[in-house]
Amino acid sequence: MIIERIKLNDYRNYASAEVFPGRGVNLFTGDNAQGKTNLLESVRLASVGRSARTTRWQELVRRGAKAASVSVRVRSDAGADEVTVRLGDAKTVLVNGYPVSRMGELMGVVKTVLFTPDELRIVKEGPGERRRFADIALCQLSRGYFYTLTRFNRVLAQRNRLLKGSPTDEELSVWDMQLAREGARITYTRRQFAARIAGFAAAVHADISGGEKLETGYEGAEGDSIAEIESGLLDALAQSRERDRRFSVTHVGPQRDDISIRSDGMDLRAYGSQGQQRSAALSLKLAEMELMKSEGGEYPILLLDDVLSELDEKRQSKLIERIKAYQTIITCTHLTDDVREKIGEITEFRVRAGTVERSDK
Ligand SMILES: Nc1ncnc2c1ncn2[C@@H]1O[C@H](COP(=O)(O)OP(=O)(O)O)[C@@H](O)[C@H]1O
Ligand SMILES: [Mg+2]
């Protein structure tokens, strides 16, 4: 899949901009605070419906403007598609010109994998970051998953709200059943995701680190089928009921799951050095590219924000080797001639105060 056009209106510091990326490596350079990350953020918004930097979409509207819009046109084996996100009184999404009634319809139209220096979080920070990693990839691969996750989150919020009062056993039972049903689907799907990405991550990691072993796994309710996980969750919810009442929160379910990340037996989440954590995060992201290709038939678009300069030379070279296989959008303040040579063919743009210009012709 490749992006053919990005069109912005009153988005962040862009009054209006239109960008036509090339098929391979696209490089956006510019000084700090010119709009490089804003551009990547807009693509991600059209891809997964939200910004990686903020949950308040109102911040995305250019200061002083009333509404913003982002349009991203892609070409895939399936043909051409365009997603438009309008941010005004509300957030509205159009796919090929038609407003969608449910946000899930946006999922998978523009498939992306995002890697930024912040992405270190998926190894270093709490389990929430790793669940989000799995969820965003899975939502892009399956709208069904997106809807299950939406239902699960609603049920969980309602059960937790109920726990703030003094619910009867009957009241809780209703929510337990729904929580176990939706929760089992999520745990099952994430467990499969973790199993599949483990193979890709191990291969990518061995390649970019020169033989280091990376092992990833899923930590959550056990079970070989959805039904098995569901009945296990129901039991666990019943057992945890008094504790849940006492703390007014639900202690069991996929909202507590995690993905383990180990290298040569060591838990990188807790004990990895900054460098090891960064390598593992990169491997996971590149593994996500491979997984999405194997599941969806095509590579997604890789978005790299300011990461080239953060990597040591060996990893940088390995990364550059890999990105040639897909459409990549890279931002950086400055690229050395040496790196430029390694990449080879580049479509280049210059970003300056909310404007983008081709700079390679
Ligand atoms: N809603 C907004 N309206 C206008 N300008 C904004 C808005 N949000 C962010 N900006 C501006 O965007 C710039 C940062 O852009 P960013 O893409 O993060 O820079 P960089 O090129 O360093 O990646 C800052 O100057 C900031 O003030
Ligand atoms: Mg930036």
CSV table of all heavy atoms in Angstrom, one decimal, residues 10-14 29-41 53 57-65 305-306 331-333 351 354, ligand 1:
chain,number,residue,atom,x,y,z
A,10,ASP,N,-5.9,23.8,7.5
A,10,ASP,CA,-6.0,24.2,8.9
A,10,ASP,C,-5.7,23.2,9.9
A,10,ASP,O,-6.3,23.1,11.0
A,10,ASP,CB,-7.4,24.9,9.2
A,10,ASP,CG,-7.5,26.2,8.4
A,10,ASP,OD1,-6.5,26.9,8.3
A,10,ASP,OD2,-8.6,26.6,8.0
A,11,TYR,N,-4.8,22.3,9.6
A,11,TYR,CA,-4.3,21.3,10.5
A,11,TYR,C,-3.0,21.7,11.2
A,11,TYR,O,-2.1,22.0,10.5
A,11,TYR,CB,-4.1,20.0,9.7
A,11,TYR,CG,-3.7,18.8,10.6
A,11,TYR,CD1,-4.8,18.1,11.2
A,11,TYR,CD2,-2.4,18.5,11.0
A,11,TYR,CE1,-4.5,17.0,12.1
A,11,TYR,CE2,-2.1,17.5,11.8
A,11,TYR,CZ,-3.2,16.7,12.4
A,11,TYR,OH,-2.9,15.7,13.3
A,12,ARG,N,-3.1,21.8,12.5
A,12,ARG,CA,-1.9,22.2,13.3
A,12,ARG,C,-1.3,23.5,12.7
A,12,ARG,O,-2.1,24.5,12.6
A,12,ARG,CB,-0.8,21.1,13.3
A,12,ARG,CG,-1.2,19.9,14.1
A,12,ARG,CD,-1.0,20.1,15.6
A,12,ARG,NE,-0.9,18.8,16.3
A,12,ARG,CZ,-0.9,18.7,17.7
A,12,ARG,NH1,-1.0,19.8,18.4
A,12,ARG,NH2,-0.9,17.6,18.3
A,13,ASN,N,0.0,23.6,12.3
A,13,ASN,CA,0.5,24.8,11.8
A,13,ASN,C,0.4,24.9,10.3
A,13,ASN,O,1.0,25.8,9.7
A,13,ASN,CB,1.9,25.0,12.3
A,13,ASN,CG,2.9,24.0,11.7
A,13,ASN,OD1,2.5,22.9,11.4
A,13,ASN,ND2,4.2,24.4,11.7
A,14,TYR,N,-0.4,24.0,9.7
A,14,TYR,CA,-0.6,24.1,8.2
A,14,TYR,C,-1.9,24.8,7.9
A,14,TYR,O,-3.0,24.4,8.3
A,14,TYR,CB,-0.7,22.7,7.6
A,14,TYR,CG,0.6,21.9,7.6
A,14,TYR,CD1,1.0,21.1,8.7
A,14,TYR,CD2,1.6,22.0,6.6
A,14,TYR,CE1,2.2,20.4,8.8
A,14,TYR,CE2,2.8,21.3,6.6
A,14,TYR,CZ,3.0,20.5,7.7
A,14,TYR,OH,4.2,19.9,7.8
A,29,THR,N,12.7,17.0,5.6
A,29,THR,CA,13.6,17.7,6.5
A,29,THR,C,13.2,19.1,6.8
A,29,THR,O,12.4,19.7,6.0
A,29,THR,CB,15.0,17.7,5.9
A,29,THR,OG1,15.0,18.4,4.6
A,29,THR,CG2,15.6,16.4,5.7
A,30,GLY,N,13.7,19.6,7.9
A,30,GLY,CA,13.4,21.0,8.3
A,30,GLY,C,13.8,21.2,9.7
A,30,GLY,O,14.1,20.2,10.5
A,31,ASP,N,13.9,22.5,10.1
A,31,ASP,CA,14.4,22.8,11.5
A,31,ASP,C,13.3,22.3,12.5
A,31,ASP,O,12.2,21.9,12.1
A,31,ASP,CB,14.6,24.3,11.6
A,31,ASP,CG,15.8,24.7,10.8
A,31,ASP,OD1,16.6,23.9,10.5
A,31,ASP,OD2,15.8,25.9,10.4
A,32,ASN,N,13.6,22.5,13.7
A,32,ASN,CA,12.6,22.1,14.7
A,32,ASN,C,11.4,23.0,14.7
A,32,ASN,O,11.5,24.2,14.2
A,32,ASN,CB,13.2,22.3,16.1
A,32,ASN,CG,14.0,21.0,16.5
A,32,ASN,OD1,13.7,19.9,16.1
A,32,ASN,ND2,15.2,21.3,17.1
A,33,ALA,N,10.2,22.5,15.1
A,33,ALA,CA,9.0,23.2,15.2
A,33,ALA,C,8.5,23.8,13.8
A,33,ALA,O,7.8,24.8,13.8
A,33,ALA,CB,9.1,24.3,16.2
A,34,GLN,N,8.8,23.1,12.7
A,34,GLN,CA,8.3,23.6,11.4
A,34,GLN,C,7.1,22.8,10.9
A,34,GLN,O,6.4,23.3,10.1
A,34,GLN,CB,9.4,23.4,10.4
A,34,GLN,CG,10.7,24.2,10.7
A,34,GLN,CD,10.5,25.7,10.9
A,34,GLN,OE1,9.9,26.3,10.1
A,34,GLN,NE2,10.8,26.2,12.1
A,35,GLY,N,6.8,21.6,11.5
A,35,GLY,CA,5.6,20.9,11.1
A,35,GLY,C,5.9,19.5,10.6
A,35,GLY,O,5.0,18.9,10.0
A,36,LYS,N,7.1,19.0,10.8
A,36,LYS,CA,7.4,17.6,10.3
A,36,LYS,C,6.5,16.5,11.1
A,36,LYS,O,5.9,15.7,10.4
A,36,LYS,CB,8.9,17.3,10.5
A,36,LYS,CG,9.8,18.3,9.8
A,36,LYS,CD,11.3,17.9,10.0
A,36,LYS,CE,11.8,17.9,11.4
A,36,LYS,NZ,11.7,19.2,12.1
A,37,THR,N,6.6,16.6,12.4
A,37,THR,CA,5.8,15.6,13.1
A,37,THR,C,4.3,15.8,12.9
A,37,THR,O,3.5,14.9,12.8
A,37,THR,CB,6.1,15.7,14.6
A,37,THR,OG1,7.5,15.5,14.8
A,37,THR,CG2,5.4,14.7,15.5
A,38,ASN,N,3.9,17.1,12.8
A,38,ASN,CA,2.5,17.4,12.5
A,38,ASN,C,2.0,16.6,11.2
A,38,ASN,O,0.9,16.1,11.2
A,38,ASN,CB,2.2,18.9,12.3
A,38,ASN,CG,2.4,19.6,13.6
A,38,ASN,OD1,2.5,19.1,14.7
A,38,ASN,ND2,2.6,21.0,13.5
A,39,LEU,N,2.9,16.6,10.2
A,39,LEU,CA,2.5,15.9,9.0
A,39,LEU,C,2.3,14.4,9.2
A,39,LEU,O,1.3,13.8,8.8
A,39,LEU,CB,3.6,16.2,7.9
A,39,LEU,CG,3.3,15.6,6.5
A,39,LEU,CD1,2.2,16.4,5.9
A,39,LEU,CD2,4.5,15.7,5.7
A,40,LEU,N,3.3,13.8,9.9
A,40,LEU,CA,3.1,12.4,10.2
A,40,LEU,C,1.9,12.1,11.0
A,40,LEU,O,1.2,11.1,10.8
A,40,LEU,CB,4.3,11.9,11.0
A,40,LEU,CG,5.6,11.6,10.2
A,40,LEU,CD1,6.5,10.7,11.0
A,40,LEU,CD2,5.3,10.9,8.9
A,41,GLU,N,1.7,13.0,12.0
A,41,GLU,CA,0.5,12.8,12.9
A,41,GLU,C,-0.8,12.9,12.1
A,41,GLU,O,-1.7,12.1,12.4
A,41,GLU,CB,0.5,14.0,13.9
A,41,GLU,CG,-0.6,14.0,14.9
A,41,GLU,CD,-0.7,15.3,15.7
A,41,GLU,OE1,-0.5,16.4,15.1
A,41,GLU,OE2,-0.8,15.3,16.9
A,53,ARG,N,-0.2,11.8,19.7
A,53,ARG,CA,0.4,12.8,20.7
A,53,ARG,C,-0.7,13.3,21.6
A,53,ARG,O,-0.4,13.9,22.7
A,53,ARG,CB,1.0,13.9,19.9
A,53,ARG,CG,2.3,13.5,19.2
A,53,ARG,CD,3.1,14.7,18.8
A,53,ARG,NE,2.5,15.5,17.8
A,53,ARG,CZ,3.1,16.6,17.3
A,53,ARG,NH1,4.3,17.0,17.7
A,53,ARG,NH2,2.5,17.2,16.3
A,57,TRP,N,-8.7,16.0,20.1
A,57,TRP,CA,-8.5,16.4,18.7
A,57,TRP,C,-8.7,17.9,18.4
A,57,TRP,O,-8.2,18.4,17.4
A,57,TRP,CB,-9.4,15.5,17.8
A,57,TRP,CG,-10.9,15.6,18.1
A,57,TRP,CD1,-11.6,14.6,18.8
A,57,TRP,CD2,-11.8,16.6,17.8
A,57,TRP,NE1,-12.9,15.0,18.9
A,57,TRP,CE2,-13.1,16.2,18.3
A,57,TRP,CE3,-11.7,17.8,17.0
A,57,TRP,CZ2,-14.2,16.9,18.1
A,57,TRP,CZ3,-12.9,18.5,16.9
A,57,TRP,CH2,-14.1,18.1,17.4
A,58,GLN,N,-9.3,18.6,19.4
A,58,GLN,CA,-9.5,20.0,19.2
A,58,GLN,C,-8.1,20.7,19.0
A,58,GLN,O,-8.0,21.7,18.3
A,58,GLN,CB,-10.2,20.7,20.4
A,58,GLN,CG,-11.7,20.3,20.4
A,58,GLN,CD,-12.0,18.9,21.0
A,58,GLN,OE1,-11.1,18.2,21.4
A,58,GLN,NE2,-13.3,18.6,21.2
A,59,GLU,N,-7.1,20.1,19.6
A,59,GLU,CA,-5.7,20.7,19.5
A,59,GLU,C,-5.2,20.7,18.1
A,59,GLU,O,-4.2,21.3,17.8
A,59,GLU,CB,-4.7,19.9,20.4
A,59,GLU,CG,-4.9,20.2,21.9
A,59,GLU,CD,-4.0,19.3,22.8
A,59,GLU,OE1,-3.0,18.8,22.2
A,59,GLU,OE2,-4.4,19.1,23.9
A,60,LEU,N,-5.8,19.8,17.3
A,60,LEU,CA,-5.2,19.6,16.0
A,60,LEU,C,-5.7,20.7,15.0
A,60,LEU,O,-5.2,20.8,13.9
A,60,LEU,CB,-5.7,18.2,15.4
A,60,LEU,CG,-5.4,17.0,16.4
A,60,LEU,CD1,-5.9,15.7,15.8
A,60,LEU,CD2,-3.9,16.9,16.6
A,61,VAL,N,-6.7,21.4,15.4
A,61,VAL,CA,-7.2,22.5,14.5
A,61,VAL,C,-6.3,23.7,14.7
A,61,VAL,O,-5.9,24.0,15.8
A,61,VAL,CB,-8.7,22.9,14.9
A,61,VAL,CG1,-9.2,24.0,14.1
A,61,VAL,CG2,-9.6,21.7,14.9
A,62,ARG,N,-5.9,24.2,13.5
A,62,ARG,CA,-5.0,25.4,13.5
A,62,ARG,C,-5.6,26.5,14.4
A,62,ARG,O,-6.7,26.8,14.3
A,62,ARG,CB,-4.8,25.9,12.1
A,62,ARG,CG,-3.6,26.8,12.0
A,62,ARG,CD,-3.2,27.0,10.6
A,62,ARG,NE,-4.2,27.7,9.8
A,62,ARG,CZ,-4.2,29.0,9.5
A,62,ARG,NH1,-3.2,29.8,10.0
A,62,ARG,NH2,-5.1,29.6,8.8
A,63,ARG,N,-4.7,27.0,15.2
A,63,ARG,CA,-5.1,28.1,16.1
A,63,ARG,C,-5.7,29.2,15.3
A,63,ARG,O,-5.2,29.7,14.4
A,63,ARG,CB,-3.9,28.7,16.9
A,63,ARG,CG,-3.6,27.9,18.2
A,63,ARG,CD,-2.6,28.6,19.1
A,63,ARG,NE,-1.3,28.6,18.6
A,63,ARG,CZ,-0.4,27.6,18.7
A,63,ARG,NH1,-0.8,26.5,19.4
A,63,ARG,NH2,0.8,27.6,18.2
A,64,GLY,N,-6.9,29.6,15.8
A,64,GLY,CA,-7.6,30.7,15.1
A,64,GLY,C,-8.6,30.2,14.0
A,64,GLY,O,-9.5,30.9,13.6
A,65,ALA,N,-8.5,28.9,13.6
A,65,ALA,CA,-9.4,28.4,12.6
A,65,ALA,C,-10.5,27.6,13.3
A,65,ALA,O,-10.4,27.3,14.4
A,65,ALA,CB,-8.6,27.4,11.6
A,305,ASP,N,9.5,8.9,12.6
A,305,ASP,CA,9.7,10.3,13.1
A,305,ASP,C,10.9,10.5,13.8
A,305,ASP,O,11.1,10.0,15.0
A,305,ASP,CB,8.4,10.7,13.9
A,305,ASP,CG,8.4,12.2,14.1
A,305,ASP,OD1,9.0,13.0,13.3
A,305,ASP,OD2,7.7,12.7,15.0
A,306,ASP,N,11.9,11.1,13.2
A,306,ASP,CA,13.1,11.5,13.9
A,306,ASP,C,13.9,10.3,14.6
A,306,ASP,O,14.5,10.5,15.6
A,306,ASP,CB,12.7,12.5,15.1
A,306,ASP,CG,13.2,13.9,14.8
A,306,ASP,OD1,14.2,14.0,14.1
A,306,ASP,OD2,12.6,14.8,15.4
A,331,THR,N,11.0,11.6,8.8
A,331,THR,CA,11.3,13.0,9.1
A,331,THR,C,12.7,13.1,9.8
A,331,THR,O,13.0,12.2,10.6
A,331,THR,CB,10.3,13.7,10.0
A,331,THR,OG1,10.4,13.1,11.3
A,331,THR,CG2,8.9,13.4,9.5
A,332,CYS,N,13.4,14.2,9.6
A,332,CYS,CA,14.6,14.5,10.4
A,332,CYS,C,15.0,15.9,10.2
A,332,CYS,O,14.5,16.5,9.2
A,332,CYS,CB,15.7,13.5,10.1
A,332,CYS,SG,16.3,13.6,8.4
A,333,THR,N,15.8,16.4,11.1
A,333,THR,CA,16.3,17.8,10.9
A,333,THR,C,17.4,17.8,9.8
A,333,THR,O,17.4,18.8,9.0
A,333,THR,CB,16.8,18.4,12.2
A,333,THR,OG1,17.7,17.4,12.8
A,333,THR,CG2,15.6,18.7,13.1
A,351,VAL,N,10.4,21.1,4.9
A,351,VAL,CA,9.2,21.6,5.7
A,351,VAL,C,9.7,22.9,6.3
A,351,VAL,O,10.7,22.9,7.0
A,351,VAL,CB,8.8,20.5,6.7
A,351,VAL,CG1,7.7,21.1,7.6
A,351,VAL,CG2,8.4,19.2,6.1
A,354,GLY,N,5.1,25.3,8.4
A,354,GLY,CA,3.8,24.9,7.9
A,354,GLY,C,3.6,24.9,6.4
A,354,GLY,O,2.5,24.9,5.8
B,1,LIG,N1,-3.2,23.8,16.7
B,1,LIG,C1,-2.1,24.4,16.2
B,1,LIG,N2,-2.2,25.6,15.6
B,1,LIG,C2,-1.1,26.2,15.1
B,1,LIG,N3,0.1,25.8,15.3
B,1,LIG,C3,0.3,24.7,16.0
B,1,LIG,C4,-0.8,23.9,16.5
B,1,LIG,N4,-0.3,22.8,17.1
B,1,LIG,C5,1.0,22.9,17.0
B,1,LIG,N5,1.4,24.0,16.3
B,1,LIG,C6,2.8,24.4,16.0
B,1,LIG,O1,3.4,23.4,15.3
B,1,LIG,C7,4.8,23.5,15.6
B,1,LIG,C8,5.4,22.1,15.9
B,1,LIG,O2,5.3,21.3,14.8
B,1,LIG,P1,6.0,19.9,14.8
B,1,LIG,O3,5.5,19.2,13.6
B,1,LIG,O4,5.9,19.2,16.1
B,1,LIG,O5,7.5,20.3,14.6
B,1,LIG,P2,8.8,19.5,14.0
B,1,LIG,O6,9.0,20.0,12.7
B,1,LIG,O7,9.9,19.8,15.0
B,1,LIG,O8,8.4,18.0,14.1
B,1,LIG,C9,5.0,24.4,16.7
B,1,LIG,O9,5.5,25.6,16.2
B,1,LIG,C10,3.6,24.6,17.3
B,1,LIG,O10,3.4,25.8,17.8
